[in-house]
Amino acid sequence: MEEFTGTVGVFDSGIGGLTVLKECAALLPRSRFYYLGDNDNAPYGSKPKEEIRRLVRAALNRFSALRIDAAVLACNTATAVCADELRKEFSFPVVGMEPAVRPAAQNCKRALVLCTPQTAASERLHALAGRFPQCEFAVHGCPDLARAVERCGGSYEKINLNEHLPAGNFDGVVLGCTHYIFLKERICAHYGVPVYDGNAGTARRLSAVLAEKSGGATTLSGVYGFADHCEENANLCSEICRKTGGNGVKTGVFFLGSAKNYNKIRYKQMFANKNEGNCHKNP
Ligand code: DGL
């Protein structure tokens, strides 16, 4: 019998976290994922910290009511602004995003980090970059790029990168915002250098956290059964794939929130895009 590997809440301000969800769902096919995008309030990147904290806290509260085993903040901005603080408030582990500065530093002398203004201003990012003095990091906060990705209705090719990306010579680019991953191929072509993102690392971290939490036994929340979440099942969830894993629980990906259908469509679109994922480097 296939063993159920836990229930995970994945959160982002909007569609960016779908790219992280894809990676996590591929690595953990026997888990159940709830995806919550706060698309109504996106983008977060230039909002005041206090507001970001309040919105992320609300999302984690919602996950808490679903008795998740772990949450993923599939948002660099949320991670940079409030992950450490919110970890203290919730009983489940919270896995955050870490820009792929380390692999970039191993391969580059001068790398560009593209991220939101709040991430660019964060101590967290600068402390991380400071651990790799062998590479010079040029950090650039893009004021409107996440909004362009969020609002383009899936027509990512229509975004004019020249309006958003800084000029310069770099030998690598780090994507420090999950929304930008939809533009990875194009950013790679724009600069003609490798592009690094932290999605695979986040998925691996989630896998380790779930393994640690279960302690090798079937103690994850699936033992309570899907019926515990019937409110979500009936009203809030929009499931994309659903199968019965070990313990008779439903595994797959379920979308929550007012933008659930929009996010589901964008998620499916990613699988239809054959070129997606060719050019980047995942740590
Ligand atoms: N996708 C998020 C990030 O990784 C947030 C983008 C935004 O809402 O500004 O930073």
Side-chain angles (χ1 to χ4, degrees):
M1 185 169 74
E2 272 192 19
E3 195 165 334
F4 178 62
T5 51
T7 299
V8 180
V10 180
F11 174 73
D12 181 41
S13 62
I15 62 171
L18 294 171
T19 66
V20 184
L21 172 68
K22 184 182 177 189
E23 201 88 42
C24 293
L27 188 65
L28 296 161
R30 296 191 299 276
S31 297
R32 177 170 55 217
F33 292 92
Y34 293 123
Y35 187 84
L36 178 59
D38 187 16
N39 308 53
D40 293 342
N41 290 303
Y44 280 12
S46 298
K47 287 188 190 299
K49 284 186 195 171
E50 195 39 59
E51 188 179 349
I52 295 171
R53 203 173 287 127
R54 180 175 59 74
L55 294 168
V56 178
R57 182 182 286 118
L60 293 183
N61 270 320
R62 189 155 182 194
F63 285 152
S64 183
L66 293 169
R67 299 162 80 177
I68 58 164
D69 295 297
V72 176
L73 289 185
C75 175
N76 290 267
T77 308
T79 304
V81 168
C82 55
D84 290 340
E85 201 182 320
L86 293 182
R87 276 189 186 116
K88 295 180 196 143
E89 295 180 23
F90 291 88
S91 57
F92 47 79
V94 177
V95 176
M97 294 301 299
E98 186 167 290
V101 158
R102 179 195 299 269
Q106 282 163 359
N107 296 293
C108 307
K109 292 262 176 299
R110 180 170 155 76
L112 172 66
V113 181
L114 293 173
C115 56
T116 67
Q118 276 291 13
T119 302
S122 70
E123 270 173 43
R124 193 186 180 99
L125 175 61
H126 291 280
L128 179 65
R131 282 166 45 199
F132 305 97
Q134 69 271 31
C135 179
E136 182 193 338
F137 287 102
V139 176
H140 182 80
C142 307
D144 284 317
L145 188 52
R147 184 191 310 275
V149 171
E150 187 70 33
R151 304 278 160 82
C152 74
S155 300
Y156 309 110
E157 70 288 349
K158 291 195 179 142
I159 296 170
N160 181 355
L161 293 184
N162 291 316
E163 286 177 8
H164 299 278
L165 302 182
N169 288 320
F170 310 98
D171 43 13
V173 178
V174 176
L175 299 185
C177 171
T178 52
H179 277 71
Y180 305 167
I181 291 169
F182 288 101
L183 305 170
K184 196 181 294 186
E185 297 294 324
R186 294 188 59 213
I187 292 173
C188 180
H190 184 90
Y191 289 108
V193 297
V195 174
Y196 301 85
D197 75 76
N199 281 11
T202 299
R204 283 197 301 270
R205 176 77 193 127
L206 171 65
S207 174
V209 160
L210 290 175
E212 194 181 318
K213 193 166 179 187
S214 72
T218 314
T219 54
L220 298 174
S221 71
V223 298
Y224 301 122
F226 189 74
D228 284 356
H229 309 313
C230 54
E231 176 224 356
E232 293 289 328
N233 189 24
N235 301 319
L236 299 171
C237 275
S238 173
E239 56 190 285
I240 190 160
C241 58
R242 184 199 236 214
K243 52 187 184 287
T244 304
N247 308 309
V249 293
K250 304 294 181 191
T251 61
V253 176
F254 301 83
F255 291 87
L256 310 179
S258 58
K260 64 184 179 183
N261 290 331
Y262 185 81
N263 289 333
K264 181 177 173 179
I265 290 165
R266 299 281 84 81
Y267 190 64
K268 281 184 165 175
Q269 185 186 21
M270 283 185 349
F271 292 97
N273 183 354
K274 302 273 186 301
N275 290 325
E276 203 252 337
N278 278 348
C279 153
H280 20 214
K281 305 242 173 187
N282 283 322

